[in-house]
Amino acid sequence: MKRILAACLAFLLCVNLAPRAGAVEVVDTIRVGLYYGTNALGEATVENADGAGFAVGTYSGRAFSAAASTSSTRLRVTAAGGTVSVVDAGGATVYSGETVALRPNGQQFTLRDLKYCGDAVFTASGSQLTAMNYVSLEDYVKGVLPYEMTPSWSLEALKAQAVCARSYALGSINKHQSRYGFDVCNGTDCQVYQGSSRATSNSNNAVDATRGEYLTHKGELATGFFFSSDGGATEDAANVWGTEVGYLKGVPDPYEDLDSATNGRWTKTLTATEVADKLRAAGHSIGTVASVAITKRTAMDNVNEVTVTDTAGKKVVLKREACRSVFSVNSLRYSINGVSGGSSSSSVQEPAAADNLPSADTVYITGDSALGPTPLFEVGAIAALPSSVRSFVGASYFAATSTFTFAGTGWGHSVGMSQYGAKGMAERGFSYDAILNYYYTDIQITK
């Protein structure tokens, strides 16, 4: 999920977000991908953070089986021909196999300057290592919380986030199993996890205080989706991802302090050429862009449809999450060139192409056309011309000078719990269960 800290990615372009339904599969061990795919390792050095040795072995499912031990506190792991080899500080091979697990004789190990609880597990693809962390559910949540929410925030906000993180993890069991062999990744496609290095007593206390608690809806798991801020209202999952989810319904949000929130208020300006490039990158065919208009909003007043029109009159209609992802803007709560656009309860007439041009007292376009030699056209009258003439005289002007400024509030997909909203509610005295019951509809906190 998207983290709120400024050092993170600007926002989540969420993928694979459809909630999982069904009975809850509560597991003791979460398998987290640390380095895999294009980020797989050529080799790895694993150290025992507590100054002791390791038990070395394998995993069958989620069960560890020891095959060797070493007193060495520093191990080198390599891969060749699909086999993982572990060498101690003296250069002796400790163990090799298709999958190798290193269990520290203590609480934590270190990999690439980050500390982790649980076991370091490696598989090989040729000469590359996929590195994973097999860790208890509670220690996993402790490794998520300080990276997804500022650990100095109020305890009740952190407790709400802990329940969300645990629920999201349980809703993501085997998410990456078929491709990489683990449950969840450690980045924003899942939720940010970097082990125990940033954990504080405050963040750990929030996890311990909610130990084992997760969200359910009508007896089934409720995946704990969350985001940074919504800018005024959360949104129905159906209006963002196209899937109706009973517990993911939009609610008005008066609790966020948008002036202090990261990217709580934002603007982004795109030229006509940049808009066209983004549409083409998303698979749409478009000519020279003349207008970009919000043509539908949800009951929560978030953008639900944007219509882009080129100078030949061709339209591209974007819906739901595409209104955010295609333009690479921070949220679905925005205006374009100061125009808020349509609502879900009224019809909307699309603005004329000239409405998106820079204002001026008198602007003319000159050039030869079918109307005669060197005609003059006021820019304000372009929209009234026949489309063929408008296209002929206007295309180069629109491409060169038209800009579209998106001005909005909020950061993220706006489905589920707002982190800054949880912060605001906690500061107003709301308990974590009240926070969760506000942002999720008809849920229970189950243990």
Side-chain angles (χ1 to χ4, degrees):
M1 303 294 294
K2 186 179 71 61
R3 53 187 294 191
I4 64 167
L5 303 177
C8 294
L9 298 177
F11 56 87
L12 260 183
L13 295 180
C14 297
V15 294
N16 299 324
L17 284 174
R20 291 173 43 171
V24 181
E25 180 184 359
V26 178
V27 299
D28 294 326
T29 301
I30 298 291
R31 303 170 301 173
V32 189
L34 304 180
Y35 300 96
Y36 55 93
T38 58
N39 294 317
L41 304 176
E43 64 176 60
T45 298
V46 182
E47 296 185 63
N48 189 314
D50 298 309
F54 291 86
V56 183
T58 61
Y59 261 90
S60 175
R62 300 176 196 272
F64 174 77
S65 177
S69 63
T70 177
S71 59
S72 180
T73 61
R74 182 183 177 93
L75 301 176
R76 179 170 171 261
V77 185
T78 60
T83 298
V84 180
S85 296
V86 180
V87 178
D88 65 18
T93 298
V94 177
Y95 186 79
S96 62
E98 293 182 2
T99 300
V100 173
L102 307 180
R103 171 165 289 183
N105 296 326
Q107 295 298 313
Q108 300 177 98
F109 68 87
T110 300
L111 175 63
R112 306 196 81 175
D113 298 324
L114 291 176
K115 291 182 179 180
Y116 300 91
C117 296
D119 302 341
V121 181
F122 299 90
T123 60
S125 176
S127 60
Q128 295 294 106
L129 291 167
T130 292
M132 297 168 282
N133 180 201
Y134 283 34
V135 61
S136 73
L137 176 60
E138 297 305 310
D139 283 334
Y140 168 75
V141 176
K142 287 180 178 180
V144 167
L145 191 53
Y147 293 95
E148 287 287 5
M149 182 173 278
T150 303
S152 61
W153 282 7
S154 301
L155 182 62
E156 294 303 307
L158 291 167
K159 287 161 68 175
Q161 180 68 61
V163 176
C164 288
R166 194 178 292 110
S167 302
Y168 187 89
L170 292 174
S172 302
I173 299 303
N174 294 322
K175 179 177 180 179
H176 293 288
Q177 171 65 36
S178 61
R179 186 171 184 183
Y180 296 117
F182 50 77
D183 298 317
V184 295
C185 63
N186 62 343
T188 54
D189 181 39
C190 301
Q191 47 190 357
V192 178
Y193 169 79
Q194 294 188 29
S196 59
S197 299
R198 193 179 287 178
T200 67
S201 58
N202 198 40
S203 64
N204 283 344
N205 287 342
V207 179
D208 290 338
T210 61
R211 184 178 183 86
E213 294 183 354
Y214 55 90
L215 302 174
T216 57
H217 171 72
K218 297 183 178 179
E220 297 186 347
L221 176 69
T223 304
F225 292 104
F226 57 90
F227 53 90
S228 180
S229 62
D230 50 60
T234 68
E235 192 50 72
D236 291 8
N239 290 331
V240 179
W241 301 323
T243 302
E244 188 75 28
V245 183
Y247 56 89
L248 297 176
K249 300 293 186 181
V251 295
D253 193 344
Y255 300 109
E256 296 175 344
D257 180 358
L258 295 175
D259 292 320
S260 67
T262 303
N263 288 331
R265 302 185 190 278
W266 55 268
T267 60
K268 181 170 186 173
T269 298
L270 299 173
T271 65
T273 298
E274 289 171 330
V275 170
D277 288 345
K278 288 181 177 295
L279 286 170
R280 292 177 190 126
H284 301 284
S285 176
I286 192 75
T288 301
V289 171
S291 73
V292 184
I294 298 166
T295 46
K296 186 178 180 181
R297 286 184 173 273
T298 69
M300 290 291 107
D301 202 32
N302 294 312
V303 176
N304 194 236
E305 180 183 280
V306 173
T307 300
V308 182
T309 307
D310 67 18
T311 53
K314 181 177 181 179
K315 299 179 186 297
V316 172
V317 179
L318 302 176
K319 296 180 180 293
R320 299 187 292 272
E321 172 68 0
C323 299
R324 180 174 76 107
S325 61
V326 169
F327 300 121
S328 301
V329 294
N330 287 349
S331 73
L332 286 169
R333 199 170 187 86
Y334 57 78
S335 63
I336 302 175
N337 286 358
V339 180
S340 61
S343 70
S344 59
S345 59
S346 62
S347 61
V348 178
Q349 183 176 358
E350 182 186 339
D355 289 350
N356 284 309
L357 288 170
S359 61
D361 293 336
T362 305
V363 180
Y364 292 96
I365 295 178
T366 64
D368 293 328
S369 79
L371 298 182
T374 61
L376 295 174
F377 301 108
E378 287 188 35
V379 169
I382 286 179
L385 295 174
S387 61
S388 59
V389 178
R390 184 168 70 246
S391 176
F392 181 83
V393 302
S396 62
Y397 183 90
F398 278 105
T401 66
S402 293
T403 60
F404 307 95
T405 297
F406 298 73
T409 53
W411 188 20
H413 52 67
S414 293
V415 178
M417 187 189 77
S418 162
Q419 293 172 312
Y420 272 99
K423 177 179 185 289
M425 291 186 72
E427 290 171 348
R428 287 167 173 79
F430 289 93
S431 63
Y432 80 100
D433 54 331
I435 294 170
L436 293 170
N437 276 284
Y438 183 76
Y439 285 107
Y440 301 98
T441 300
D442 192 23
I443 54 95
Q444 298 77 44
I445 300 174
T446 303
K447 187 171 183 178

